[in-house]
Structure formats: C-alpha cells, structure tokens
C-alpha cells in the first residue's frame, strides 16, 4: 500500500471566469476530437461523401450547354457552392448526436456534477468541433473543385465562404443541440436528421437555380436557409465579390448578397434565442 | 457538526412519490451509510445532493451552503460517484481523469499529480492507459471513484459503489473508503448490501418508502431491538393460520417482546427475546400447545433484523416487492437531462 496522503494536495486555485471557461471548453472540445481521431470512419466518410457528390453530380451535367446556368458558368462551378453548403449543413445537423448519446449514457450527468463556470462550455465545445470539421470538409471540396477545373474563389471570396459557413454552422448547430435536448432519444434525433437532410437539399438552389423550378418549389427554395448560404458562396466562386448585387431572384423579390447574409445572421441569433430557454432548463 | 443536512425532501416522478419528507444529518468526517432496498429513494436523495436533481420541496445544506441557491459552490465541495458508471469508451482512463481535472479547474501540475497518486492508490497503473471500453466493471468503478476524488472533495457521495463488483475491486474500494474516512473526508454511501453498510459505516439511516425510518450507529440500532433474535419454524412449510396462532402464543410469554411473521421464509417467526434463559420456557409452551419445533435458532441482532423490525419485512422481501412495482424505463427517462 502506498504511503502518500490522498487528501493532501492543494485545492484548485481561484482563477478568472474566462480562464476557467476556456479550460472547460478546451477539455470538452479535446474529448470530441479524440473521439473523432479514434473513430476516423466518420471523418473519412464526411470527407468522401461531398467529393463523390461533386464528382458524380458534376459529371452528370458536364455536357450541358454552356449557357444553361445563370451567368454562363459551368455546372461544376455552379454545384461547388451547393455541395460546400450542404456538407456543412449535414455536419452541423449531426452536432446534437454526441450530446444525445451523452444524455442517454449518463455522461452528461458527469459533466453537470462538475463545477463548470458556465454550462455553455458544453455548447461552445460542440460549436468549435463542428465548425472545424465543416471547414476541413469545405477545404477538401474547394481543393477537389479546383482540381476538377471548377475554379477557386479568390482570397476575398475565400473569406466570404468561411464567414457564410460560420453563420450557417452556428445556426444549424444551435438547432441540432436544441433537438438533442428536446427529443427523447437518438432514434428520434436521427429520424429528424434523416427527414430534414435531403428535402432541404433538393428544395434549395444547391443543385439547380430557382428559374428551373416549378413555382411552389421556387418558393420553398427561396425561403430555405441553405439558399441564403449557397448564393453568397456561389458569388465568391463567380469572381464577383460585390455583395450589393442581386444574387437571388426570389418569387417575393430580389435578394442581394448582403440580404442573404442578413437573413443568415438573423436566423443564427433567432435560433440561439429560441433554444436558450430549453438549454437553460436542461442544463440548469 | 453536520456537514450535510437534508430537511423534508419531497420528490415525485409523475404519480410516483420517491421521497416523502426525507430528513437526514451527516456529521463532518463521518462515513454515513444509507441502507434500503432498490427503489427506496436512496439514488434520488443522492442525485438531489449532487445537484443533478431539484427536489419538489425541502432543503439541502452542504457545509453551510444551500445547494438549491448556490449549486456551484456545492459542486466544488462534492465528489459524486453514480450507480451507473458513465464513461467514454473511446477515451483512456487517464484521458478521462484529465478531462475531469479540467472540468474541476485543476491546473495541469495539480491534475497530473493527483492522477498519478490515485492511479497508484487504486492500483490502476496496468490499465489506466487503455481505452475505457475494454475495462471490466471493477476497473470502471475504480476509475469512477478516482474521478470523484480527483479534486479532493469535502463530501464524497457514493451510490451503490460496489454493486456487482469482484472481490478484489470491492476490497480496494473498501480499503480506500476507510482511509479517506480516517483522514477526515465525509462520505455518504448508499447500499443495499447489509454487510457493506455494517462494515464501513459509523452511522446508518434506513430508508423505506422515501423516508428515514431508523437512524443511528449500527450498534445503537441493534441495541434498540433490546435483545437476541430467535427464528422459529414450527414446520418446514407452515401456513398463515398456523403462524398467527403461534405468534399469539409467543406474545403471551414473558420476555418475548416482538414477534414478526416472515412470509417469504415459509411463515417462520422472528422474535425478540430479553434473555436466552427463556428459551426452555418457550419450548415448553409450544409443546403444551402441541406445536412441533422444526427449527429454532438464536442470534445476535443484525441490521436485517433492524430492517425487519422497522418495516415488517426483510430487505430481500422489500427488494422483491419493489422490483415488481418499479418502472425502470420511466425512471431512467426521468433521470435523463
């Protein structure tokens, strides 16, 4: 038997709020990344799936007339923005799954018994994790799109892509975390993800412009948050960085790049405000 | 001085009332055992103390802090080891402890020192760097105990810490608890293992139906019974009418203070006697009334006798009775955040 005193070491030092919340958030984020690296199949699938979309869908319309797409861009270049946004959206929609599993397996209780300075660190960790993954996926898509000859955004365009993705990822992560606490179990959460994913893709401008769609679908696409993320990124790919120009001819009127980003911003804050009472209650 | 004070705790899950005004005082430095069958309200009590659950009404004070008003302060002082070991199977034991240390805001040096100490003390060196998914129940429980102790809590709350464990793990945990107790850590331990509670606890509260029904040191509780226990069976398989008749007869004998029918043991009778000298007299009475004696044994009172005396049933009977009524699915759903 050892001779040390198991109750002898010093108590935690009093530290600042910011320092403690950073420590909590980094520790929780590290856990998510350790899970990812030790189960890399999800990361590999998450990287491969959008590349397959890009490759197959890009090839599907490769012989389409040059002037088919708005602005005369190739279908591959048109598709790139859609695949980037859809990939980020799918990833963020899954953000609630680890939290749901933690709820189900009781690991969340371990976190809640700890004297977290703010339980928001649980939410922050999820957001950081999903954002990094989404960016990694987006870089892979951009690199592949460039390799396939679908072009690249300039430096400004690149920043616009990241900013737009950031807004979308924040909004959808908030929604997914809200669902993870509102739904009774992972089966229900997966069902919601399954039902939401593809319909939202098809009812957006990811694969085709609104002008190709019947009126009812055009309305849906023009109201779909994915569209408001796709259009600025598509603009970044087209070489035009003037966010004051009209990017979306919606049935209810024209939307500029700024308009699209404003909608995303409102959506992000709105969703966070919407789920806040739920998170406060569940994490109280 | 009490480190933990619970006053009139009430908690319901839907129509099921888990706690019905539970009051408890745990003195500082004490190893306090909560004894009761599954479903008696032990886990609910511990979850309320650990701030995971809010009571419908009542008060929880930990070291003078109201847990309902200032849960953060209470969490800093408290180590909680839940009944269901929640670990991340992908992490190694050490990584899990590092995470725990960071959540308790230990600086890296303190954290790593504590991890090294506890790894040695709980004999985890050989497997602490393996992923938790490969651990046995005993290993998981030891790791869970280490994570509860990492920040040196004033109050350690353990919910059924050795349930289903192998002898070696149980022995390691018992030894550590004794050592912690000697060094002044207050420990609140729930168990439905009589021998565990008796072996470890300075003081005991017996919980039944969401209330404390008896409280004191193991010796006090046994002494309160007032004498030796006798278990009597007039036939191998008696029936209720016969056992009631025997009970009536026994109650008329001077020196027999309590007679309880134990239905689950073939209607045997458990009686409390002032002195062993009345046993011959007891035999005579039974013979005169033409009752045979299939078996008669005498023993010092045990905690099971205390439980039987307080509730009219043995702990095992109570377990079986509650097991039939519990909706474990509903309970785990309600426990989920």
């Amino acid at each position: 038997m050892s001779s040390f005193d198991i109750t002898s070491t010093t108590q935690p030092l009093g530290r600042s709020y910011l320092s403690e919340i950073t420590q909590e958030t980094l520790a929780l984020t590290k856990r998510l990344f350790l899970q990812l690296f030790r189960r890399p199949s999800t990361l590999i699938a998450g990287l491969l799936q959008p590349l397959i979309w890009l490759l197959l869908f890009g090839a599907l319309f490769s012989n389409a007339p040059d002037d088919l797409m708005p602005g005369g861009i190739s279908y591959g270049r048109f598709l790139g923005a859609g695949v980037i946004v859809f990939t980020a959206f799918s990833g963020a929609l899954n953000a609630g799954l680890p939290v749901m599993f933690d709820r189900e397996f009781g690991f969340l209780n371990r976190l809640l018994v700890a004297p977290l300075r703010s339980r928001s660190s649980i939410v922050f960790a999820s957001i950081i994790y999903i954002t990094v993954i989404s960016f990694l996926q987006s870089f892979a898509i951009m690199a592949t799109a460039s390799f396939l000859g679908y072009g690249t955004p300039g430096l400004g365009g690149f920043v616009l892509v990241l900013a737009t993705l950031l807004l979308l990822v924040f909004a959808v992560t908030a929604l997914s975390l809200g669902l993870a606490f509102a739904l009774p179990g992972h089966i229900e959460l997966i069902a919601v993800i399954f039902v939401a994913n593809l319909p939202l893709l098809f009812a957006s401008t990811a694969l085709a412009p609104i002008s190709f769609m019947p009126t009812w679908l055009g309305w849906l696409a023009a109201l779909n948050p994915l569209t408001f993320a796709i259009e600025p990124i598509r603009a970044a790919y087209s070489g035009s960085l003037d966010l004051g120009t009209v990017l979306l001819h919606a049935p209810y009127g024209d939307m500029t790049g700024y308009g699209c980003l404003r909608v995303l911003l409102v959506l992000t804050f709105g969703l966070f405000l919407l789920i806040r009472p739920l998170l406060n209650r569940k994490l109280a | 001085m009490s480190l933990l004070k619970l006053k009139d705790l009430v908690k319901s899950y839907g129509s099921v009332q888990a706690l019905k005004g539970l009051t408890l005082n745990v003195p500082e430095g004490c190893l306090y055992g909560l004894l009761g069958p599954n479903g008696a309200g032990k886990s609910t009590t511990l979850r309320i103390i650990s701030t995971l659950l809010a009571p419908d009404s009542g008060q929880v004070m930990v070291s003078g802090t109201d847990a309902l008003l200032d849960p953060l302060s209470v969490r800093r002082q408290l180590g909680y080891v839940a009944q269901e070991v929640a670990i991340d199977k992908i992490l190694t034991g050490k990584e899990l402890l590092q995470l725990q240390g960071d959540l308790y805001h230990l600086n890296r040096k303190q954290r790593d020192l504590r991890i090294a100490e506890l790894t040695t003390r709980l004999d985890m060196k050989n497997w602490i760097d393996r992923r938790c998914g490969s651990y046995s129940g005993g290993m998981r429980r030891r790791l869970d105990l280490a994570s509860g102790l990492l920040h040196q809590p004033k109050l350690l709350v353990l919910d059924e810490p050795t349930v289903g464990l192998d002898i070696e793990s149980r022995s390691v945990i018992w030894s550590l608890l004794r050592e912690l107790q000697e060094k002044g850590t207050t420990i609140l331990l729930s168990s439905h293992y009589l021998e565990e509670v008796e072996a470890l606890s300075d003081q005991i509260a017996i919980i039944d139906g969401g209330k404390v029904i008896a409280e004191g040191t193991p010796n006090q509780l046994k002494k309160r019974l007032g004498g030796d226990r006798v278990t009597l069976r007039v036939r191998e398989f008696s029936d209720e009418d016969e056992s009631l008749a025997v009970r009536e007869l026994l109650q008329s004998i001077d020196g027999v203070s309590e007679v309880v029918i134990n239905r689950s043991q073939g209607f045997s009778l458990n009686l409390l006697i002032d002195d062993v000298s009345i046993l011959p007299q007891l035999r005579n009475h039974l013979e005169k009334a033409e009752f045979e004696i299939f078996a008669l044994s005498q023993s010092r009172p045990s905690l099971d006798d205390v439980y039987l005396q307080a509730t009219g049933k043995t702990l095992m009977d109570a377990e079986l009775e509650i097991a039939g009524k519990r909706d474990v699915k509903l309970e785990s759903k309600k426990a989920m955040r």
Side-chain angles (χ1 to χ4, degrees), chain B residues 258-304:
Chain B
E258 295 272 354
V259 185
V260 177
I261 298 170
N262 191 343
R263 286 173 169 75
S264 66
Q265 297 291 324
F267 289 95
S268 66
L269 293 115
N270 293 75
L271 42 149
L272 193 62
I273 56 171
D274 293 344
D275 194 90
V276 285
S277 61
I278 68 159
L279 284 177
Q281 189 192 344
L282 194 143
R283 284 177 184 275
N284 283 339
H285 274 80
L286 288 167
E287 277 167 19
K288 271 185 198 165
E290 296 185 344
F291 286 115
E292 289 177 23
I293 299 177
F294 175 75
L296 189 144
S297 61
Q298 173 243 333
S299 60
R300 303 293 305 162
S302 68
L303 281 181
D304 206 20

Side-chain angles (χ1 to χ4, degrees), chain A residues 254-265:
Chain A
D254 290 341
M255 288 286 281
T256 64
Y258 286 122
C260 291
L261 292 179
R262 263 198 299 273
V263 170
L264 281 182
L265 198 66

Side-chain angles (χ1 to χ4, degrees), chain B residues 198-210:
Chain B
E198 191 158 7
L200 292 174
S201 308
D202 302 320
Q203 286 202 55
I204 294 172
I206 297 178
I207 297 189
D208 187 62

Side-chain angles (χ1 to χ4, degrees), chain A residues 203-235:
Chain A
S204 76
T205 58
L207 306 176
I210 284 182
S211 56
F212 283 24
M213 300 175 189
T215 310
W216 64 270
L217 188 58
W219 267 97
L220 285 180
L223 294 170
N224 185 341
L226 295 192
T227 298
F228 298 110
I230 292 164
E231 293 307 325
I233 292 177
R234 191 164 283 148

Side-chain angles (χ1 to χ4, degrees), chain B residues 72-96:
Chain B
L72 187 62
S73 295
V74 169
R75 284 180 205 129
R76 286 200 183 104
Q77 302 178 60
L78 190 135
Y80 174 61
V81 180
Q83 187 175 358
E84 300 294 330
V85 182
I87 54 167
D88 187 330
K89 291 180 183 177
I90 301 294
L91 302 186
T92 66
K94 187 181 268 180
E95 285 163 351
L96 192 85

